[in-house]
Amino acid sequence: TTLFRSLLVAAAGYWNISPESFLEQKAAVVDPGAIDFYATKTHSLQFLPDGKLQYDMTSDKVEHLKASDITLLTNPDLQLFRGALYPWHVQSLKGEVSPGGTQVELIDSVRVARTDEKNRTTIITSSRMTVFPQKQYAQTEQAVRIDGFGGVTTGTGMKAYLNDGRMNLLSHVRGQYEAR
């Protein structure tokens, strides 16, 4: 053991290793903006347990933040099928996916559109929206515009139940409809 201690002291002196240098390494703070991997021109498919398509997503760039496990998206474009024939088409300039993918924050020029089996189109636009893909639910506290159902409806704040196409505007609701 004396020989081992001597070798350890000699090695520490040779490489100029001190106990303080070990502590400094452990005290190093991880940069919260540090990206541990990224991909460009991505295309991702996810299927439901029964084999039907849940979603089809493309993005110009995907960046993963190591410290927070958040994934940043540039120009995400998502077809949210949920196993149905008529998907919701979700687009924005930026996006942030939570750890585990349970929540997606869409940021800037958010557009959610769907054409149903009767060829009726609904388009929802906002500056920001949070989507919960597994729950088929979306919400925002921002101004919202809904084009469809023979008119235009605007409001502030929205809760959207994508599975059944139901949308609740929370305040300052205004509508303009065409008489048929």
Side-chain angles (χ1 to χ4, degrees):
T1 58
T2 307
L3 177 62
F4 178 72
R5 287 185 195 160
S6 299
L7 288 173
L8 185 60
V9 169
Y14 180 78
W15 283 296
N16 196 19
I17 299 173
S18 66
E20 292 82 21
S21 67
F22 287 117
L23 294 176
E24 287 172 11
Q25 289 177 357
K26 288 184 179 181
V29 177
V30 176
D31 177 6
I35 297 169
D36 60 345
F37 68 85
Y38 75 94
T40 57
K41 296 184 172 110
T42 63
H43 184 203
S44 174
L45 297 170
Q46 183 167 331
F47 295 89
L48 295 167
D50 65 3
K52 293 180 181 174
L53 185 60
Q54 180 169 354
Y55 72 77
D56 180 346
M57 185 183 80
T58 61
S59 185
D60 290 348
K61 188 173 189 179
V62 175
E63 301 171 296
H64 183 261
L65 301 177
K66 183 177 185 176
S68 62
D69 196 24
I70 290 174
T71 303
L72 306 176
L73 307 172
T74 303
N75 294 321
D77 190 321
L78 172 74
Q79 295 281 348
L80 185 58
F81 284 89
R82 315 158 338 272
L85 293 175
Y86 303 96
W88 285 93
H89 187 192
V90 181
Q91 300 169 293
S92 67
L93 294 180
K94 296 183 281 185
E96 294 180 4
V97 181
S98 69
T102 58
Q103 180 177 324
V104 180
E105 187 72 23
L106 301 170
I107 305 163
D108 296 333
S109 300
V110 178
R111 183 178 191 273
V112 180
R114 180 174 184 250
T115 301
D116 67 12
E117 65 278 356
K118 296 180 182 175
N119 207 29
R120 298 176 298 192
T121 300
T122 303
I123 300 171
I124 306 166
T125 54
S126 185
S127 62
R128 191 174 189 107
M129 190 176 300
T130 305
V131 178
F132 300 86
Q134 285 82 12
K135 296 179 181 179
Q136 299 175 31
Y137 171 78
Q139 67 182 25
T140 185
E141 295 177 9
Q142 308 302 313
V144 176
R145 176 183 169 113
I146 302 172
D147 291 278
F149 310 108
V152 175
T153 305
T154 60
T156 302
M158 178 192 70
K159 293 181 178 185
Y161 303 89
L162 302 175
N163 195 31
D164 60 8
R166 186 170 41 100
M167 291 160 260
N168 297 335
L169 294 173
L170 305 179
S171 66
H172 301 96
V173 178
R174 302 233 185 268
Q176 180 179 358
Y177 294 89
E178 299 174 11
R180 291 188 181 205

